[in-house]
């Protein structure tokens, strides 16, 4: 009888193996890049930065960094994981070449940023067309969420933040894919850590960047809804959203001022209606009411409505001075006409999905800023945005059901990390995934869906 040692089998380890590809599931991202034409679009806009007789295309180098970031990398040197698998990722530039390109693009400043953003906007329109009914604007409207995120960093322009940390305070914007999907980034504005949460000019710039990423028909008009927390509740930002010729829809959180608090005190009991939970059914202990006619809104945009919500706080939650009779008060402004108050309030509260997108961004290169100069880290934010684009576009085009809602960490664990056997036959390379991997069928079904899409013109 052999003696049992430990709970796991003992496996001998040696190097020198061949014929196996690590991170083979990343072929889903590579095929997404090819089918949506992102490689040719990025290559075209970065052509001015390609030196004569250079070996590596700047667009390919930038996309390689984005792919490495999508796979979990958090610095430029992580392109090494791609360099190790040329049959999947092609030729990958050396670390010095990668660093030089980022330096060159950083030195170009707004010109390089505009070029990358232009390519992303062009490809985004094609992706949404390919997605059809699964696209975020399939019903003719789109929702853009704007929020701030604190990034720990000790690089250039890092300062103390309002949460007593040290770093930067970027503003980001995501297109909401709804309950059946995730979301995709459309703006990332790098700011120092002490940047204000209510700075209207920053919200306006972020909104402008976000709108520029949308198809032309969605860049103005009521079909595009801008949502923010109370950081966007300023006169200047609401005036900008309501400007004639732009006239965007909005759902903006508002700070509970004394005037709003006094108006809430005057609301008759019969005016409160039950609020909805996330499933659209009545939520016990939560009510909504409209106070548009109570405080003086003469200096605010015409058509603005104020809607308040009161609810029993969660156990252990701290009440504020502006809360009422032990109930937590919140308020938001919208210019949507008509509709049930509970529906409008639920639509605004679904802005919390932006927190899920931010969590995914933190897991995709936004946990820290790896480069030193602010100009370099602006390029890094665009690289992170490219990675997040791919992590949103691939599920939208290739996955179905609950798998479309998988966040980056789950995609990496279940799909991208899968290894495969590399088989060369008939002048073709085949990746053969093991049948033992629980999600092999998801990978093969997804790649078949991508293969079925038309090639870019």
């Amino acid at each position: 009888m052999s003696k049992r040692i430990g709970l796991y089998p003992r496996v001998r380890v040696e190097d020198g193996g061949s014929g196996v590809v690590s991170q083979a599931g990343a072929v889903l991202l590579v095929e997404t890049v090819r089918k949506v034409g992102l490689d040719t679009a990025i290559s075209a806009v970065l052509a001015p930065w390609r030196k004569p007789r250079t070996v590596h295309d700047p667009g390919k180098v930038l996309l390689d960094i984005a792919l490495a970031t999508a796979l979990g990398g958090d610095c430029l040197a992580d392109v090494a994981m791609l360099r190790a698998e040329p049959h999947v990722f092609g030729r990958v530039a050396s670390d010095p070449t990668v660093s030089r390109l980022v330096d060159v693009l950083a030195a170009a400043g707004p010109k390089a940023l505009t070029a990358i953003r232009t390519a992303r906007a062009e490809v985004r329109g094609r992706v949404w067309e390919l997605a059809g009914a699964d696209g975020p604007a399939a019903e003719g409207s789109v929702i853009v969420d704007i929020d701030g995120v604190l990034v720990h960093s000790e690089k250039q322009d890092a300062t103390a933040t309002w949460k007593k940390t040290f770093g930067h305070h970027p503003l980001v914007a995501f297109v909401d894919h709804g309950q059946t999907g995730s979301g995709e980034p459309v703006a990332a504005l790098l700011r120092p850590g002490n940047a204000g949460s209510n700075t209207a000019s920053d919200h306006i710039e972020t909104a402008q960047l976000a709108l520029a990423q949308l198809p032309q028909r969605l860049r103005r008009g009521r079909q595009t809804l801008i949502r923010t927390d109370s950081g966007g509740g300023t006169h200047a930002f609401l005036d900008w959203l309501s400007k004639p010729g732009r006239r965007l829809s909005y759902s903006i959180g508002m700070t509970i001022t004394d005037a709003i608090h006094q108006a809430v005190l005057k609301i008759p009991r019969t005016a409160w209606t039950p609020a909805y939970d996330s499933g659209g059914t009545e939520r016990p202990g939560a009510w909504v009411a409209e106070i548009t006619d109570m405080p003086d809104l003469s200096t605010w945009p015409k058509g603005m409505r104020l809607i308040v919500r009161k609810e029993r706080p969660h156990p252990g939650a701290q009440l504020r001075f502006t809360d009422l009779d032990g109930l937590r008060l919140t308020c938001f402004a919208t210019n949507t006409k008509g509709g049930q108050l509970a529906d409008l309030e639920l639509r605004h509260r679904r802005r919390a999905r932006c927190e899920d997108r931010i969590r995914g961004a933190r897991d995709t290169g936004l946990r820290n800023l790896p480069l030193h100069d602010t100009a370099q880290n602006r390029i890094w934010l665009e690289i992170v945005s490219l990675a997040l684009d791919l992590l949103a576009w691939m599920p939208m085009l290739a996955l179905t059901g609950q798998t479309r809602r998988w966040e980056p960490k789950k995609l990496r664990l279940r799909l991208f990390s899968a290894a495969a056997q590399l088989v060369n036959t008939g002048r073709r390379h085949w990746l053969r995934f093991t049948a033992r991997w629980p999600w092999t069928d998801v990978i093969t079904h997804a790649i078949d869906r991508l293969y079925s899409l038309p090639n870019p013109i």
Side-chain angles (χ1 to χ4, degrees):
M1 180 176 179
S2 60
K3 185 178 179 180
R4 183 179 180 183
I5 302 176
L7 300 177
Y8 294 94
R10 185 177 183 183
V11 180
R12 302 289 184 178
V13 177
E14 63 179 5
D15 60 6
S18 61
V20 176
V21 174
S22 302
Q23 299 284 331
V27 70
L28 293 170
L29 296 178
V30 175
E31 190 61 23
T32 300
V33 168
R34 183 181 295 111
K35 284 295 185 178
V36 303
L38 183 59
D39 49 352
T40 55
I42 291 290
S43 177
V45 297
L46 294 187
W49 290 276
R50 181 167 188 172
K51 296 181 179 179
R53 293 178 295 182
T54 189
V55 175
H56 296 283
D57 183 285
K60 172 67 162 58
V61 175
L62 197 74
L63 276 176
D64 284 343
I65 307 172
L67 283 169
T69 305
L71 294 176
D74 61 3
C75 65
L76 301 182
D78 285 331
V79 295
M81 74 172 80
L82 276 62
R83 195 180 298 119
E85 305 295 351
H87 289 99
V88 176
F89 302 105
R91 295 185 61 183
V92 177
S94 65
D95 289 349
T97 300
V98 171
S99 296
R100 280 196 298 269
L101 175 66
V102 172
D103 289 341
V104 169
L105 295 178
K111 186 176 180 180
L113 294 174
T114 300
I116 298 171
R117 291 163 180 166
T118 299
R120 291 177 56 217
E122 174 190 338
V123 174
R124 194 179 314 281
R126 173 173 171 78
V127 172
W128 289 10
E129 289 180 5
L130 290 174
D134 292 329
E139 298 180 358
S141 60
V142 69
I143 298 176
V144 177
D145 292 314
I146 299 176
D147 205 349
V149 52
L150 295 180
V151 178
H152 176 73
S153 171
E154 296 182 359
K155 307 303 170 59
Q156 187 180 35
D157 291 336
T159 60
T161 71
W162 59 277
K163 279 197 172 182
K164 303 186 186 302
T165 58
F166 194 82
H168 292 76
H169 187 194
L171 270 181
V172 294
F174 291 87
V175 169
D176 184 23
H177 286 185
Q179 292 179 291
T180 60
S182 57
E184 57 190 283
V186 285
L189 181 65
L190 186 61
R191 307 187 302 166
N194 59 1
S197 298
N198 296 90
T199 306
S201 59
D202 290 343
H203 278 81
I204 291 172
E205 183 176 356
T206 303
Q208 288 173 328
L209 293 175
L211 292 172
Q213 286 292 308
L214 304 182
Q216 189 72 37
R217 61 185 174 83
L218 296 173
R219 295 180 184 178
R220 62 183 68 243
R222 294 286 192 235
Q223 70 272 19
T224 299
L225 175 73
I226 304 295
R227 286 192 305 207
T228 75
D229 59 10
S230 59
T234 61
H235 278 77
F237 185 50
L238 286 166
D239 287 341
W240 184 86
L241 293 172
S242 307
K243 185 177 179 180
R246 186 174 297 115
R247 302 187 66 80
L248 299 163
S249 295
Y250 58 80
S251 184
I252 306 294
M254 301 291 286
T255 302
I256 302 291
T257 63
D258 182 64
I260 292 177
H261 189 257
Q262 292 300 319
V264 171
L265 295 177
K266 299 176 183 177
I267 300 175
R269 184 182 298 272
T270 56
W272 292 99
T273 60
Y276 291 161
D277 59 18
S278 58
T281 58
E282 290 188 7
R283 178 170 179 169
W287 302 268
V288 293
E290 184 170 359
I291 59 169
T292 302
D293 297 331
M294 296 183 179
D296 182 11
L297 300 181
S298 59
T299 60
W300 292 85
K302 293 182 179 180
M304 188 181 87
R305 303 170 65 187
L306 281 181
I307 298 173
V308 293
R309 169 191 173 98
K310 67 178 182 178
E311 65 176 337
R312 298 189 184 99
H314 300 293
Q318 294 292 323
L319 292 174
R320 297 170 298 221
F321 287 110
T322 53
D323 290 331
L324 174 69
D325 296 332
L327 300 176
R328 172 63 54 85
L329 291 180
T330 55
C331 178
F332 71 97
T334 183
N335 60 349
T336 300
K337 297 179 180 179
Q340 296 289 330
L341 295 183
D343 289 327
L344 296 176
E345 195 274 334
L346 177 59
R347 183 188 68 176
H348 179 75
R349 195 153 32 90
R350 283 177 173 157
R351 190 200 64 81
R353 285 199 286 253
C354 187
E355 299 296 334
D356 298 333
R357 310 289 84 81
I358 289 175
R359 182 172 61 249
R362 288 184 181 276
D363 293 332
T364 312
L366 198 59
R367 190 166 300 281
N368 58 64
L369 300 178
L371 307 175
H372 180 270
D373 295 342
T374 296
Q376 294 173 321
N377 282 320
R378 287 196 177 101
I379 298 297
W380 177 256
L381 279 188
E382 292 305 311
I383 292 170
V384 170
S385 296
L386 273 170
L388 291 170
D389 277 336
L390 291 175
L391 292 173
W393 293 343
M394 187 279 290
M396 190 194 306
L397 298 176
L399 300 182
T400 57
Q402 288 297 317
T403 58
R404 278 197 62 197
R405 301 181 61 184
W406 287 357
E407 294 188 359
K409 288 178 69 173
K410 187 169 289 187
L411 289 172
R412 293 180 193 123
L413 175 65
R414 297 186 174 183
L415 303 187
F416 304 152
S417 66
Q421 181 185 11
L422 180 65
V423 180
N424 300 314
T425 178
R427 296 184 180 180
R428 291 185 178 182
H429 304 298
W430 294 81
L431 286 176
R432 186 170 295 162
F433 291 88
T434 175
R436 294 193 305 270
W437 189 250
W439 301 282
T440 290
D441 60 333
V442 177
I443 297 172
T444 54
H445 179 67
I447 199 68
D448 287 342
R449 284 174 61 91
L450 289 174
Y451 285 157
S452 68
L453 296 175
N455 292 317
I457 300 175

